[in-house]
DNA sequence: GTCTATATGGAGATAGAC
DNA sequence: GTCTATCTCCATATAGAC
């Protein structure tokens, strides 16, 4: 896809001799890893896991093909490393924000749903709008992974579900009477809306004739939060009423 | 991926001599096309466009490799044919249901948002739950296409946007004061939730510890409609109030 | 840690016989 | 319309030199 550059990286690395120790300890090695991860993130996001070869990635990263196997084992290991890298950062901030929301509402009253949702989604907004450009690729990739029958059920769960559980638990406190299945389905709808939105596929731009721009994430986030908050409330309110009726009916039988 | 069967199809076709005329006229030819489309739908849904070879597809369809090129030109032409085939059926029913909802509310009053959303989503529910099994593959594939930066903006628009415009127009009548950008964003959130849900990736099953089953589409549809209806109302109500304030402020300047 | 070289297999597409 | 045979190129992965 791209010829190796003649930027003298080979020479530039010569000041650093290989030392004894485990793989991936040296700073040169770390830099190589990051270059491969950056390229993989961008290219996987564009055409998916199977649409990109390891050679495409190492070519774009301007490192040798064999280094992908050396650092990540195989192609799937590379994908997982790409997903994991930023998931950790994301989970850390999501978790901290959820704690803050719960702490602010401490004991006295349930947290506001909008605040809980914001704690979960704002870290994405910050990073996509104002973080390094790799984040945009990352979110496009996550949307594909989330919607993939092959990877959706496994990779997403592995890297995101612990904090998702924490999020759902916070919603549970905000809507104490909500049924479990309603909570989870409402989360699922949020997940679909969120990943598609941050993927910025450009479809909405075309459909709306320019009234909406995928890239204007601040104004879409302003809408996503109340949309989903209202959805959560509607589901739980409806269900609560319905289940009370059902309970009454059942008791009578 | 699979060996060619020895089912005697070659002999069975011999009663039908090739006639003069355009390609794909004969019933044998039609059957071959359908077999290829069925296999492509199923396999593309499983591993995406690049994860499956034309040979995988024709092997599963038990037809010769070269027939894919003959009938569909190339691999991308095959993908487009897969998407188009069921899109037409879907669009027809969506359109008819939207007409019915609008007719029922004729002139006197705006249609109910829930009814409009149901007109748009119920055809998916019917087909996935009670249609031929190919529909489940189809919806999984659509979810991947919708979330793909490469195909999302083009294929989805091409095959679905005309009826989506009609849907949005019906919502516009239900919420006459809603701003255009709110309408389109709200649709986009619905689209993300809808495609992920009907993709049945299994993630929610694992996350919810069995409380939700991806495959139980009737009960998820019961929730999707009120969730999205509430989201539409919340967006438009909020925005209407905000824009009135803004208008006042602006007028004062 | 990095690179060269290569093993082994599969990819998409088409020309031309039937 | 269908099938055989083949062209040309690229895939992942690894062994072993440096």
């Amino acid at each position: 896809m791209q010829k190796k550059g003649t930027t003298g990286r080979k020479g530039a690395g010569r000041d650093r001799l290989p030392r004894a120790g485990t793989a991936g300890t040296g700073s040169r090695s770390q830099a190589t890893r990051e270059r491969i991860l950056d390229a993989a993130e961008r290219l996987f996001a564009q055409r998916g896991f199977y649409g990109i070869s390891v050679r495409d990635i190492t070519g774009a990263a301007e490192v040798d093909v064999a280094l992908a196997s050396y650092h990540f084992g195989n192609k799937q290991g590379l994908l997982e490393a790409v997903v994991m890298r930023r998931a950790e950062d994301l989970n850390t901030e999501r978790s901290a924000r959820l704690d803050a929301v719960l702490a602010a509402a401490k004991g006295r009253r349930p947290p506001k749903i909008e605040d809980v949702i914001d704690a979960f989604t704002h870290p994405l907004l910050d990073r996509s709008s104002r973080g390094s450009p790799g984040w945009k690729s990352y979110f496009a990739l996550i949307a594909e992974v989330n919607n993939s029958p092959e990877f959706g059920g496994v990779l997403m769960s592995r890297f995101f579900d612990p904090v998702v559980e924490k999020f759902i638990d916070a919603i549970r406190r905000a809507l104490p009477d909500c049924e479990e299945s309603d909570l989870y389905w409402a989360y699922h709808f949020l997940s679909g809306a969120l990943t598609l939105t941050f993927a910025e596929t450009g479809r909405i731009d075309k459909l709306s004739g320019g009234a909406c721009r995928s890239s204007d994430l601040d104004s879409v986030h302003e809408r996503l939060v109340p949309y989903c908050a209202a959805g959560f409330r509607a589901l739980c309110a409806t269900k609560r009423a319905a289940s009370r009726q059902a309970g009454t009916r059942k008791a009578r039988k």
Side-chain angles (χ1 to χ4, degrees), chain A:
Chain A
M1 199 168 229
Q2 182 170 347
K3 276 188 191 163
K4 274 182 67 175
T6 52
T7 45
R9 277 195 53 265
K10 203 169 186 172
R14 222 173 260 146
D15 56 335
R16 177 143 232 110
L17 290 177
R19 327 167 212 184
T22 56
T25 312
S27 77
R28 171 100 187 279
S29 171
Q30 273 304 320
T32 298
R33 272 183 67 96
E34 294 294 317
R35 292 171 66 85
I36 295 174
L37 288 172
D38 288 342
E41 179 173 74
R42 184 166 56 83
L43 296 173
F44 282 154
Q46 282 168 18
R47 307 213 312 167
F49 180 69
Y50 296 107
I52 289 296
S53 69
V54 176
R55 291 181 134 82
D56 290 337
I57 293 166
T58 52
E62 295 180 317
V63 302
D64 193 86
V65 223
L67 292 176
S69 305
Y70 176 76
H71 285 287
F72 304 101
N74 58 23
K75 194 183 177 185
Q76 172 132 3
L78 175 51
L79 172 67
E80 291 173 14
V82 167
V83 174
M84 182 165 51
R85 179 172 58 157
R86 300 198 197 266
E88 288 173 347
D89 171 54
L90 216 43
N91 283 333
T92 302
E93 194 188 336
R94 277 176 158 175
S95 193
R97 280 185 184 248
L98 286 169
D99 287 338
V101 168
L102 292 176
K106 185 167 53 191
R108 307 185 302 275
R109 59 192 182 282
K112 212 177 150 202
I113 305 178
E114 279 81 357
D115 294 337
V116 177
I117 295 176
D118 185 77
F120 191 73
T121 57
H122 210 107
L124 278 72
L125 173 62
D126 281 340
R127 284 160 179 72
S128 190
S129 290
R130 291 169 279 277
S132 81
W135 279 101
K136 280 200 185 292
S137 295
Y138 185 73
F139 293 127
L141 175 60
I142 290 301
E144 297 182 76
V145 169
N146 196 29
N147 283 273
S148 150
E150 192 172 12
F151 302 118
V154 292
L155 282 193
M156 292 299 288
S157 294
R158 194 152 113 225
F159 294 116
F160 293 106
D161 279 3
V163 174
V164 170
E165 279 294 1
K166 189 166 181 171
F167 166 74
I168 289 179
D169 196 58
I171 297 274
R172 201 178 273 128
R173 296 196 210 182
L175 294 167
D177 295 326
C178 199
E179 284 195 1
E180 286 299 289
S181 55
D182 288 321
L183 273 181
Y184 283 103
W185 278 121
Y187 165 73
H188 201 242
F189 302 150
L190 183 159
S191 173
L194 185 66
T195 51
L196 178 62
T197 295
F198 280 84
E200 298 186 34
T201 64
R203 188 188 170 205
I204 194 72
D205 307 58
K206 191 173 296 180
L207 178 65
S208 70
C212 303
R213 284 173 303 124
S214 292
S215 57
D216 184 9
L217 291 175
D218 284 298
S219 71
V220 58
H221 187 260
E222 247 170 46
R223 294 171 166 94
L224 183 63
V225 174
Y227 184 97
C228 293
F232 269 101
R233 285 200 187 93
L235 268 200
C236 296
T238 308
K239 205 64 184 189
R240 188 168 30 180
S243 66
R244 277 175 185 163
Q245 286 194 340
T248 311
R249 270 198 302 274
K250 246 181 200 165
R252 274 201 213 114
K253 274 191 185 176

